[in-house]
Amino acid sequence: MTLITVGFVSVIPNRSVVVRAPGKLNLYLKVGDLREDGYHELSTVFQSVSLADEVTIAEHHELHVRLRGGGAVGVPTDRRNLAWQAAELLAEHVGRDPNVDIAILKSIPVAGGMAGGSTDAAAVLVGLAALWGEELEREELLELAAELGSDVPFCVFGGTAIGTGRGELLTSALARATLHWVLAFSGEGLSTPAVYRELDRLRAAGTQPKATDCDELLRALVSGDVSQVAGLLHNDLQPAALSLRPDLRRTLLAGREAGALAGIIAGSGPTCMFLAEDAHHAVDIAAQLAGAGVCQSVRAAHGPARGARVV
Ligand code: ATP
């Protein structure tokens, strides 16, 4: 421990860690039947991307959560925040008081389908364990993460992975190529439960067939053939998201007109994700999309990125 002497008084500086919390994309998302526990059975291919929140955790006299950044307005900073819940869960698990200040700099759009809240929670699990010097087994960390939410386990480990169950059962997948994405953000979020309800409604009306499996996509990821990957991107939630937000059709069309290899809705939306050939192509598409007036803002990002990590 470093002691700093100020006049005659020795002060112990607040210890802190900074954690990079990447957003995720679903390259493939198949939604199965509604289970008895209220969740849908999922089969998905996740990828972590370079667009990330930054979570700073410092020792404090009580638990405190602060958020800043573009989309942070209106996000709760109390128990309803997933970062808060993660701190309480880990503290209970290791028998400590959750007395930390958590400052989240948001870059991932809120309610944008990129698991912003889940990745902040993953960052708190990883960062707080580091701050307290607690070494958790992989399985232990996965179990805690799954208690917080279906996407949190993937956000801890990152990379590219297949998710089954409600998304929390993970198997690593090999992706040989770096994929360059262009992300079009909407000014207004979409509620994930509302999108699932809309999918159930469309299916009850008999209009939504289910997807085939993701084996071909996994093979394309291994071979690193980006145009093949583009043709195999799939999201079962897309029709439901478009039904709730028909304006997103224009965004998807504009991305394709800007030269994207493919474009789909990211997770439950409303973010639209476009695949580019390489980094230069992504910058070109991003510039054209930004000028098309079909979204609030545009960012280029690449994947796979590592999961939540202390920097
Ligand atoms: P997913 O892709 O996992 O369905 P999402 O990216 O669409 O999630 P989030 O950004 O996680 O959505 O936000 C969903 C809700 O969670 C919002 O209504 C928000 O108020 C709440 N929330 C709780 N904690 C956070 C957090 N740390 N960051 C963002 N939203 C949070």
Side-chain angles (χ1 to χ4, degrees):
M1 171 83 53
T2 313
L3 294 182
I4 298 172
T5 303
V6 183
F8 295 108
V9 188
S10 288
V11 179
I12 301 170
N14 276 1
R15 290 190 310 143
S16 65
V17 292
V18 180
V19 188
R20 199 175 155 75
K24 63 90 182 143
L25 295 176
N26 297 86
L27 278 50
Y28 169 92
L29 177 56
K30 176 180 171 182
V31 182
D33 296 328
L34 188 60
R35 311 192 313 196
E36 275 185 4
D37 62 5
Y39 289 99
H40 288 81
E41 195 65 31
L42 298 186
S43 166
T44 187
V45 178
F46 290 116
Q47 180 161 92
S48 283
V49 290
S50 55
L51 178 75
D53 288 350
E54 188 183 276
V55 180
T56 305
I57 309 168
E59 286 172 343
H60 199 58
H61 62 278
E62 62 181 3
L63 180 52
H64 188 229
V65 173
R66 299 178 279 149
L67 283 102
R68 65 196 168 90
V73 180
V75 177
T77 53
D78 53 19
R79 256 210 121 249
R80 288 168 296 168
N81 197 294
L82 271 175
W84 179 296
Q85 292 169 29
E88 283 194 328
L89 186 68
L90 186 73
E92 194 193 330
H93 185 74
V94 300
R96 280 177 171 258
D97 291 323
N99 292 341
V100 283
D101 175 76
I102 302 171
I104 304 174
L105 176 59
K106 297 246 23 127
S107 296
I108 302 169
V110 173
M114 292 186 65
S118 301
T119 197
D120 294 345
V124 169
L125 289 181
V126 169
L128 206 45
L131 185 73
W132 288 341
E134 299 282 350
E135 282 185 22
L136 302 184
E137 298 292 332
R138 179 187 157 98
E139 284 312 310
E140 211 179 347
L141 195 55
L142 272 175
E143 247 173 63
L144 292 173
E147 262 186 66
L148 292 163
S150 309
D151 290 342
V152 184
F154 173 71
C155 293
V156 170
F157 291 104
T160 307
I162 305 159
T164 52
R166 52 187 171 89
E168 86 287 17
L169 306 172
L170 299 173
T171 312
S172 296
L174 182 63
R176 241 187 257 284
T178 296
L179 297 180
H180 293 273
W181 301 100
V182 178
L183 306 169
F185 302 137
S186 167
E188 204 187 318
L190 254 180
S191 146
T192 304
V195 175
Y196 275 95
R197 278 196 302 275
E198 181 65 2
L199 179 68
D200 290 338
R201 191 187 70 76
L202 292 173
R203 281 186 175 165
T207 50
Q208 288 312 312
K210 288 174 193 163
T212 51
D213 63 33
C214 60
D215 293 354
E216 241 189 297
L217 172 65
L218 293 172
R219 280 195 290 274
L221 287 169
V222 171
S223 74
D225 184 331
V226 179
S227 29
Q228 227 182 339
V229 169
L232 296 164
L233 298 176
H234 175 81
N235 182 0
D236 263 359
L237 289 177
Q238 178 159 312
L242 291 177
S243 167
L244 296 175
R245 287 284 305 275
D247 59 302
L248 297 175
R249 285 180 198 283
R250 282 181 57 220
T251 315
L252 289 176
L253 185 65
R256 282 183 218 121
E257 282 173 359
L261 299 177
I264 60 171
I265 299 286
S268 52
T271 303
C272 295
M273 53 189 263
F274 299 97
L275 187 56
E277 277 163 25
D278 53 32
H280 290 297
H281 189 210
V283 172
D284 263 9
I285 297 168
Q288 284 194 57
L289 256 181
V294 290
C295 53
Q296 192 189 52
S297 56
V298 182
R299 281 284 298 266
H302 56 88
R306 299 176 74 188
R309 284 287 174 288
V310 174
V311 291

